[in-house]
Amino acid sequence: MPFGESGADFAQEGRAVTAPTAGQRLAVAVDAPQHSGLDRPLDYLSEQALAPGTLVRVPFGKREVLGVVWDTGADAPAESMALRGIVEHFGALPPLPAAWRSLVEFAAGYYQRGVGELALAVLPAALRDLDAAALERRLKRLRKKIAPPAAPAPAEQASLRPLTEAQSAALDALRAQAAAEPPGVSLLHGVTGSGKTEVYLREAQRVLDGGRQALVLVPEINLTPQLEARFAERFPNRRIVSLHSGLTPAQRLAHWLQALLGEADLVLGTRMAVFAPLPRLGLIVVDEEHDASYKQQDGARYSARDLAVLRGRLERAPVILGSATPSLETWHNALPIADGGAGRYRRLVLAGRVGGGGLPRVRLLDMNQVPREQQRASALAPALMQAIAERIARGEQSLLLLNRRGYSPVLHCLDCSWKSGCPHCSAWRVFHKGDRTLRCHHCGFTERVPRACPDCGNADIQPLGRGTERLEEQLAQALPGARVARLDADTTRHAGALAAGLARVHAGEVDVLVGTQMVAKGHDFRRVTLVAAVQPDAALFSSDFRAPERLFALLLQAAGRAGRDAAHAAASEMWVQTWHPQHALFAALDRHDSEAYAHSQLAERRQAGLPPYAHLALLRADARTQEAARAWLDAAAALGSEAAAAAGVVLYPSVPTPMQRVADVERAQLLIECAARPPLQRFLAGWLPQLQGLKTPRVMRWAIDVDPLAI
């Protein structure tokens, strides 16, 4: 299990639940100010018995706020205490389930946040603005709007695509696992195109036919509609709702209410959906479990994948983690103890593609052999351009991956070397040719492109480097008549733009698709036979130890977009333009060997003492000056140095973050390391109250990030 022994102990022991009687105090979780020290539920007076999990409105300072009645033990008589009374309770709603409260309680403790802060953060924001009467009216309208679903019929096996032998074996293993006690966690390790989604659908069918609910997590919003359509097609008589940040507040509240009331059979969403209250939960699926999007990057920095594993244990529900490129932590958990792993998960393998099609051939294009003048003229080598032209002539599609949007990462002056830096961030402003702007992708600061160099007045300022916008332009010029399209954050800002762009690709109206990582994973492009990675080398030598792992996953996922139709599989190719063709990462990519790459990376991690063989946390501080941020971190380290030494915890010196300044705020961090998770958690829990008492006159904010993804 990702949390080690502590997660299992919490799930097994739980908390004693005692419903308060009239005249006794209630423990209520409210969203108290961060670092106020009010990180536990507060006491209020109730005139009637309210079960734990009941939503209430309570006075907090001069305001009335939303709260959740929390589990309590033996209470002192309310008459002996000067308590404020609750304002009202939301009697139209059932209490939030005990397993939901246990999940929140554990996540708050593990990620060092307040219980009320996390509990209220994962509830729909629209609830905060409603009183009990308004919510009751909203529920009445919702019940009228929801038509009773038709009686669900068992899936007609004759209408379903026959399963492969590997899919059948995986389903047999999953059903045996579901019958075990506890059901446990399975890693569904399948190459791209191997039919993992069909396995999800069959398992969901089994759970729904048994009267239970299913929760399916996806890493990104743009993958949700596609998967939702697959589930809706398979289960036309089931109620499916989505939960993600792309919904309006009213939509999110309506979907959340359907989940809590048991009206939704299946909930599909991004990381926030791991907290969806489901009274009949019977299955949890985490698709593309390796994706970094499952880690929250602000507020309570939780990992939805790890919490999904814990939730499965709490609710006795099987958990499926699916990926073609499992994260190293998941891989380690799925390795048997005899092979040096943790032996916590069961690994199920889908080694071949559905239909018998082969994986695309990988071609490494050594950019050292491409003449300089050709490199300057185009982002693509002549051989790759010729391969794309051949695909167009055959009526096939190509996909080009360049994980950098805009026209050029920077503008520069040929005379004085001025560059388009952001005055508010430690970053360059990106040149966007479409609207002739220089735009910072970190703080949003935007200006029109200057007519001349701001420093020396030279009119000859040039773009340096290439983004997707420039690559699209060069392809249109080099391939006259070709239908070139681009999908990135700039072209998909408006509602419906992404769906419309993908529909054009699926309909065959695009010959060459240029995009960032949003087009590299999860999409079933049937006509794509060539995928090319244009500039992947930067991650090979990053200071972030996880960067190569992420690059390998991205390239292997991108390669999987080619040859998904078995009729075209033999001709499918993955081209990689690289200056380092001998790198071990590309050798593993050439063989499509994620297993060998994972083993080599785990060996390096073990030797270096990095996760999953060590456990990390980061203490981050933001201030107006770098000196103030680091001085606060140094003072924090001094407060905890004695306890850290006793616990076997290492506190490293404070350093600036890789992106040192964002929006005129200087950022620094302090790395915390320990060989085992329990002593690290005990140290953090004891250190946090000391940090809350540490004066912060020059520090704007600080936070602890447990299990950080990037250091």
Side-chain angles (χ1 to χ4, degrees):
M1 170 156 187
F3 294 115
E5 298 300 322
S6 57
D9 292 345
F10 185 94
Q12 291 167 1
E13 293 174 6
R15 289 173 56 90
V17 178
T18 302
T21 58
Q24 291 184 324
R25 62 184 182 180
L26 288 181
V28 178
V30 298
D31 188 3
Q34 191 179 4
H35 309 319
S36 64
L38 303 176
D39 54 359
R40 301 301 304 168
L42 305 180
D43 290 332
Y44 287 90
L45 180 65
S46 174
E47 296 181 357
Q48 58 181 307
L50 297 178
T54 302
L55 291 176
V56 295
R57 296 196 69 83
V58 295
F60 185 72
K62 297 181 179 179
R63 300 176 293 133
E64 287 184 4
V65 299
L66 185 68
V68 183
V69 177
W70 216 250
D71 304 277
T72 59
D75 287 318
E79 292 77 12
S80 64
M81 308 188 64
L83 299 179
R84 304 176 74 179
I86 67 167
V87 176
E88 60 179 356
H89 73 281
F90 292 59
L93 282 182
L96 292 163
W100 182 92
R101 301 193 303 275
S102 295
L103 179 70
V104 170
E105 181 98 21
F106 178 87
Y110 185 82
Y111 294 105
Q112 305 299 321
R113 311 297 293 198
V115 170
E117 175 196 2
L118 184 57
L120 274 296
V122 300
L123 296 180
L127 273 176
R128 297 173 183 252
D129 302 323
L130 300 178
D131 57 21
L135 178 62
E136 194 164 354
R137 290 193 297 270
R138 188 78 63 99
L139 282 170
K140 288 181 179 178
R141 291 198 300 269
L142 180 64
R143 289 190 173 102
K144 290 180 180 178
K145 186 177 180 181
I146 298 176
E156 296 182 9
Q157 299 299 322
S159 66
L160 301 178
R161 177 184 296 177
L163 294 172
T164 65
E165 186 176 336
Q167 286 175 318
S168 296
L171 283 167
D172 289 342
L174 287 170
R175 286 161 188 168
Q177 189 93 340
E181 184 59 39
V185 181
S186 299
L187 167 61
L188 186 61
H189 179 208
V191 299
T192 52
S194 60
K196 293 186 293 296
T197 301
E198 183 62 32
V199 174
Y200 303 156
L201 290 165
R202 300 283 181 117
E203 270 298 278
Q205 179 73 59
R206 178 187 63 80
V207 169
L208 298 182
D209 287 346
R212 308 288 296 278
Q213 295 169 294
L215 171 64
V216 179
L217 301 182
V218 295
E220 297 183 29
I221 293 173
N222 60 49
L223 296 181
T224 306
Q226 176 177 302
L227 198 60
E228 189 173 15
R230 290 284 304 274
F231 276 89
E233 180 183 10
R234 180 63 60 88
F235 307 121
N237 296 327
R238 300 286 187 175
R239 186 168 291 122
I240 302 172
V241 301
S242 58
L243 284 174
H244 54 77
S245 59
L247 301 173
T248 67
Q251 288 173 329
R252 185 184 170 195
L253 175 59
H255 293 184
W256 183 88
L257 289 171
Q258 291 179 68
L260 174 62
L261 297 171
E263 297 287 344
D265 297 305
L266 189 143
V267 173
L268 190 150
T270 51
R271 60 176 176 263
M272 68 167 63
V274 74
F275 290 103
L278 296 163
R280 298 179 284 109
L281 183 61
L283 174 69
I284 302 175
V285 174
V286 184
D287 191 29
E288 307 293 357
E289 65 81 27
H290 65 276
D291 201 288
S293 300
Y294 284 121
K295 172 76 170 176
Q296 177 80 5
Q297 293 301 321
D298 54 26
R301 292 173 167 83
Y302 62 86
S303 166
R305 178 199 64 203
D306 292 351
L307 290 182
V309 171
L310 174 69
R311 185 167 188 181
R313 182 179 291 271
L314 288 169
E315 306 213 31
R316 296 293 190 266
V319 178
I320 304 174
L321 306 179
S323 178
T325 54
S327 65
L328 292 184
E329 285 80 3
T330 296
W331 190 270
H332 178 256
N333 281 328
L335 277 179
I337 296 175
D339 294 336
R344 297 189 180 109
Y345 303 164
R346 181 171 185 173
R347 178 173 168 239
L348 310 174
V349 180
L350 303 178
R353 283 184 153 181
V354 173
L359 294 169
R361 174 191 175 194
V362 176
R363 299 188 58 172
L364 301 179
L365 204 161
D366 188 353
M367 294 300 290
N368 296 289
Q369 306 301 319
V370 179
R372 291 283 183 181
E373 58 272 14
Q374 291 180 350
Q375 294 178 24
R376 287 191 290 268
S378 174
L380 303 183
L384 177 54
M385 192 68 77
Q386 177 63 30
I388 295 172
E390 292 173 359
R391 266 33 182 218
I392 296 174
R394 297 202 299 258
E396 298 168 3
Q397 295 174 319
S398 301
L399 186 153
L400 301 185
L401 172 66
L402 176 57
N403 209 19
R404 179 176 289 159
R405 62 190 174 98
Y407 189 85
S408 170
V410 62
L411 286 184
H412 77 126
C413 174
L414 298 177
D415 283 357
C416 71
S417 298
W418 168 86
K419 292 182 176 63
S420 55
C422 176
H424 308 292
C425 303
S426 303
W428 306 115
R429 281 179 294 162
V430 177
F431 172 40
H432 290 260
K433 189 175 181 179
D435 56 5
R436 300 292 299 175
T437 61
L438 292 176
R439 192 182 312 160
C440 178
H441 291 173
H442 299 277
C443 71
F445 179 68
T446 302
E447 285 185 332
R448 298 288 296 174
V449 174
R451 295 181 178 273
C453 173
D455 287 354
C456 71
N458 174 34
D460 190 13
I461 52 177
Q462 298 290 330
L464 186 64
R466 294 178 177 88
T468 51
E469 190 179 357
R470 190 176 189 182
L471 181 57
E472 178 190 25
E473 179 185 89
Q474 290 181 343
L475 282 167
Q477 293 171 352
L479 301 168
R483 298 168 296 178
V484 181
R486 172 166 55 96
L487 285 178
D488 56 26
D490 296 321
T491 62
T492 58
R493 281 179 294 180
H494 303 297
L498 177 61
L502 292 173
R504 290 182 59 210
V505 179
H506 291 303
E509 299 172 5
V510 173
D511 296 316
V512 183
L513 176 64
V514 177
T516 54
Q517 63 178 345
M518 70 163 58
V519 302
K521 45 195 175 182
H523 302 293
D524 189 20
F525 298 130
R526 308 302 294 180
R527 294 180 176 87
V528 169
T529 59
L530 183 147
V531 173
V534 179
Q535 294 177 354
D537 287 351
L540 295 176
F541 308 102
S542 170
S543 60
D544 181 3
F545 71 91
R546 297 186 194 271
E549 176 191 358
R550 287 197 292 266
L551 175 62
F552 181 79
L554 177 62
L555 294 180
L556 203 61
Q557 292 282 339
R561 299 316 107 202
R564 296 180 74 86
D565 188 331
H568 300 299
S572 65
E573 292 181 332
M574 167 70 168
W575 288 60
V576 181
Q577 291 193 166
T578 174
W579 295 88
H580 306 279
Q582 305 304 319
H583 197 282
L585 183 149
F586 296 129
L589 179 67
D590 185 32
R591 302 188 303 270
H592 295 272
D593 197 345
S594 60
E595 182 172 351
Y597 186 72
H599 281 295
S600 68
Q601 287 290 294
L602 283 173
E604 291 183 13
R605 296 274 185 94
R606 182 191 291 273
Q607 186 175 14
L610 292 170
Y613 304 104
H615 304 280
L616 305 178
L618 280 177
L619 178 60
R620 306 177 189 268
D622 295 348
R624 289 298 179 190
T625 66
Q626 184 66 210
E627 293 74 19
R630 295 185 62 181
W632 187 87
L633 290 174
D634 293 341
L639 278 178
S641 59
E642 185 175 338
V649 173
V650 179
L651 301 179
Y652 288 90
S654 62
V655 294
T657 60
M659 180 63 65
Q660 180 173 325
R661 188 176 80 258
V662 175
D664 292 322
V665 174
E666 293 283 341
R667 308 187 302 172
Q669 64 187 26
L670 185 151
L671 179 64
I672 307 145
E673 180 185 84
C674 188
R677 183 172 280 114
L680 175 61
Q681 282 291 311
R682 288 192 293 269
F683 166 73
L684 293 176
W687 195 30
L688 186 61
Q690 293 180 291
L691 297 182
Q692 291 170 344
L694 186 61
K695 293 184 177 180
T696 58
R698 301 170 62 194
V699 172
M700 302 167 62
R701 53 187 171 267
W702 60 269
I704 292 177
D705 184 0
V706 179
D707 298 336
L709 282 189
I711 61 172

